[in-house]
């Protein structure tokens, strides 16, 4: 594929943002113009370029809305929301940078301004969770409140509920599904504003989300599917889509590490831990090579990289994958180095199950099929339609 940036992570994050053009989250010309203002491996120019584009679109949207041009305003607000989210990508970490908080809030406000103009109706929701509230949205698949097949979209490490609209929320609504988007612990507003860290027993998160879904008349209780990563059991799901499938976060990370580090992660010997801390500390300080480590420390509420790597052993489906009883679709992308354990997960699941690889020749080989999300959603919803019809 033609590259915009030499650095792999800059390239991936640019494509992630530009790829939402299919669902109103970007314009290719705008994204190319922004790229021209960004210096390679420069977080400040990345922030400034995307924030400037978002600010401009915010002004255009406000102007259109004031003149009663709802469709123009909605489109500009959606793109502004996506660009605000992209702007703070390389600023994330602990302690939380003030610009991350303010820019996150601006992406949320821009999306909510767009949501107010959507048809069918999009509703801001709060999901009760252990004495707190998880922020989210309920998207209707039609004008009525009739019960419909429902998709819960569960985002990833650095995603937001708003971004989930571009991932598969808009595609769900276009097919007549009710769709529920939310920020769980370690995600979006839950970590940026409330400091809630990730947890390995993710069933404790999905359970109240399903409870909330079942309280809504727009949700068919017999046809609820989950798209994302499932770390535990939820017997009320009718289908599961994992994009990408991962049986073990520890194995995923080990596959991307030098062998001398991967083989010694669990060691407590000071002769091992000190060199590991030194190597990981140096890597953490690199803008892009250490980005995943900094993000992991932040969303898990940890201080030391080695503690983060050891924590990953808790995030495993190896001993419980056979308890997932609903029909499952396990996905992977051909060039994605996240999801190397997808086949292992698939092999551990009981029937019925389907495995699908998205190919690079189709432009869908990147993480979460960035740049080819329409192709992903076509395959997934065609599969899901058949499963739920049965």
């Amino acid at each position: 594929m033609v590259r915009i940036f030499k650095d792999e992570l800059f390239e991936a994050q640019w494509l992630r943002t530009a790829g939402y053009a299919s669902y109103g989250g970007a314009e290719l010309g705008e994204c190319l113009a922004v790229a021209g203002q960004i210096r390679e491996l420069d977080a400040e120019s990345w922030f400034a370029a995307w924030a400037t584009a978002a600010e401009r679109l915010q002004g255009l949207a406000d102007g259109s809305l004031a003149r009663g041009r709802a469709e123009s305003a909605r489109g500009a607000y959606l793109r502004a929301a996506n660009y605000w989210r992209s702007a703070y990508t390389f600023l994330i970490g602990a302690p939380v940078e003030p610009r991350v908080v303010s820019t996150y809030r601006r992406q949320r406000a821009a999306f909510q301004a767009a949501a107010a103009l959507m048809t069918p109706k999009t509703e801001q929701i709060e999901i009760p969770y252990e004495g707190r509230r998880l922020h989210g949205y309920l998207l209707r698949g039609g004008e009525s409140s009739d019960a419909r097949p429902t998709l819960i979209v569960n985002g990833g490490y650095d995603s937001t509920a708003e971004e989930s609209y571009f991932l598969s929320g808009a595609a769900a609504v276009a097919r007549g599904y009710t769709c529920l988007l939310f920020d769980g612990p370690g995600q979006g507003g839950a970590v940026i504003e409330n400091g809630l860290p990730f947890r390995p027993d993710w069933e404790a998160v999905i359970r109240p989300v399903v409870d909330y879904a079942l309280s809504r008349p727009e949700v068919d209780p017999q046809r609820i599917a989950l798209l994302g990563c499932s770390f535990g059991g939820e017997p009320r799901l009718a289908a599961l889509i994992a994009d990408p499938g991962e049986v073990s976060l520890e194995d995923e990370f080990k596959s991307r590490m030098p062998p001398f580090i991967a083989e010694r992660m669990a060691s407590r010997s000071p002769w091992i831990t000190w060199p590991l801390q030194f190597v990981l500390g140096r890597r953490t300080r690199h803008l892009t090579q250490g980005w995943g480590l900094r993000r992991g420390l932040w969303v898990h509420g940890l201080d030391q990289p080695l503690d983060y790597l050891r924590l990953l052993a808790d995030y495993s489906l190896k001993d419980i994958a056979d308890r997932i009883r609903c029909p499952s679709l396990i996905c992977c992308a051909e060039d994605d180095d996240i999801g190397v354990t997808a086949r292992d997960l698939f092999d551990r699941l009981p029937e019925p199950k389907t495995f699908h690889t998205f190919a690079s020749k189709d432009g869908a080989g990147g993480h979460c099929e960035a740049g080819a999300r329409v192709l992903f959603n076509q395959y997934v919803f065609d599969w899901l339609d058949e499963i739920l019809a049965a």
Side-chain angles (χ1 to χ4, degrees):
M1 294 178 67
V2 176
R3 295 182 66 91
I4 304 300
F5 293 99
K6 295 178 181 178
D7 181 82
E8 289 187 5
L9 187 57
F10 265 49
E11 175 73 8
Q13 293 297 334
W14 182 87
L15 184 59
R16 171 185 179 179
T17 303
Y20 295 141
S22 299
Y23 297 108
E27 279 286 357
L28 184 56
E30 289 174 349
C31 293
L32 288 170
V34 167
Q37 302 166 43
I38 296 173
R39 294 183 296 275
E40 195 85 27
L41 290 175
D42 186 333
E44 290 299 326
S45 67
W46 177 282
F47 176 84
W50 287 113
T52 298
E55 188 78 69
R56 180 182 65 83
L57 286 169
Q58 191 90 30
L60 290 174
D62 290 343
S64 292
L65 186 61
R67 293 188 298 274
R69 307 290 190 260
E71 180 64 17
S72 296
R74 184 186 62 83
Y77 281 134
L78 281 176
R79 302 201 309 280
N82 185 31
Y83 298 167
W84 284 125
R85 178 205 55 77
S86 186
Y88 67 77
T89 296
F90 292 106
L91 302 180
I92 62 174
V96 181
E97 229 255 37
R99 287 180 294 176
V100 172
V101 179
S102 62
T103 310
Y104 162 76
R105 288 173 175 167
R106 296 201 70 174
Q107 72 92 34
R108 183 175 63 194
F111 182 84
Q112 290 176 351
L117 303 171
M118 289 178 181
T119 303
K121 182 180 178 181
T122 292
E123 179 183 343
Q124 300 173 44
I125 61 173
E126 291 186 333
I127 301 170
Y129 166 75
E130 298 188 351
R132 297 174 178 258
R133 300 276 176 172
L134 298 178
H135 156 71
Y137 301 91
L138 186 128
L139 316 177
R140 289 183 177 177
E143 293 299 328
S144 73
S145 296
D146 295 343
R148 297 171 177 269
T150 299
L151 180 68
I152 298 172
V153 182
N154 188 167
Y157 259 148
D158 53 298
S159 65
T160 67
E162 292 76 22
E163 184 184 15
S164 293
Y165 172 83
F166 303 117
L167 281 167
S168 291
V173 170
R175 291 165 170 82
Y177 281 69
T178 299
C179 188
L180 197 153
L181 319 174
F182 72 101
D183 284 336
Q187 302 172 321
V191 67
I192 292 173
E193 295 185 314
N194 301 320
L196 289 178
F198 259 103
R199 56 189 298 174
D201 55 338
W202 202 251
E203 67 271 21
V205 179
I206 293 299
R207 191 172 297 122
V209 174
V210 175
D211 287 342
Y212 177 85
L214 291 173
S215 74
R216 299 296 304 239
E218 302 91 343
V219 174
D220 182 341
Q222 301 304 315
R223 295 188 291 170
I224 300 175
L226 174 66
L227 166 61
C229 300
S230 178
F231 292 117
E234 172 45 65
R236 294 168 292 181
L237 295 174
L240 168 69
I241 305 104
D243 176 41
E246 298 178 59
V247 76
S248 164
L249 282 187
E250 182 181 41
D251 289 354
E252 290 283 340
F253 269 73
K254 282 183 175 180
S255 72
R256 301 195 295 276
M257 291 178 180
F260 78 94
I261 293 180
E263 294 167 3
R264 294 166 174 80
M265 276 173 47
S267 175
R268 299 288 175 174
S269 167
W271 298 103
I272 299 299
T273 57
W274 186 88
L276 282 180
Q277 290 281 27
F278 177 77
V279 171
L280 292 171
R282 286 189 61 182
R283 189 175 184 86
T284 301
R285 291 189 290 273
H286 190 279
L287 177 63
T288 55
Q289 294 178 12
W291 184 78
L293 284 171
R294 293 193 303 275
R295 180 188 61 179
L297 292 172
W298 173 44
V299 301
H300 289 282
L302 300 170
D303 295 322
Q304 298 299 323
L306 196 52
D307 291 336
Y308 169 49
L309 298 187
R310 288 169 175 160
L311 175 80
L312 296 178
D314 296 336
Y315 290 79
S316 174
L317 289 170
K318 289 182 177 180
D319 296 329
I320 59 175
D322 60 354
R323 292 163 51 191
I324 298 176
R325 297 300 181 185
C326 63
S328 300
L329 171 59
I330 308 303
C331 304
C332 73
E334 188 175 0
D335 294 333
D336 187 11
D337 62 359
I338 301 173
V340 296
T341 62
R343 177 62 70 173
D344 189 2
L345 172 60
F346 175 80
D347 290 342
R348 294 169 186 268
L349 292 173
E351 297 286 354
K353 59 184 179 180
T354 303
F355 189 89
H356 186 77
T357 300
F358 289 92
S360 301
K361 66 180 178 61
D362 298 324
H367 183 56
C368 289
E369 299 74 39
R373 199 67 190 178
V374 168
L375 180 63
F376 170 85
N377 284 320
Q378 177 183 351
Y379 183 89
V380 166
F381 280 102
D382 286 357
W383 175 86
L384 190 57
D385 285 346
E386 292 186 9
I387 293 296
L388 297 185

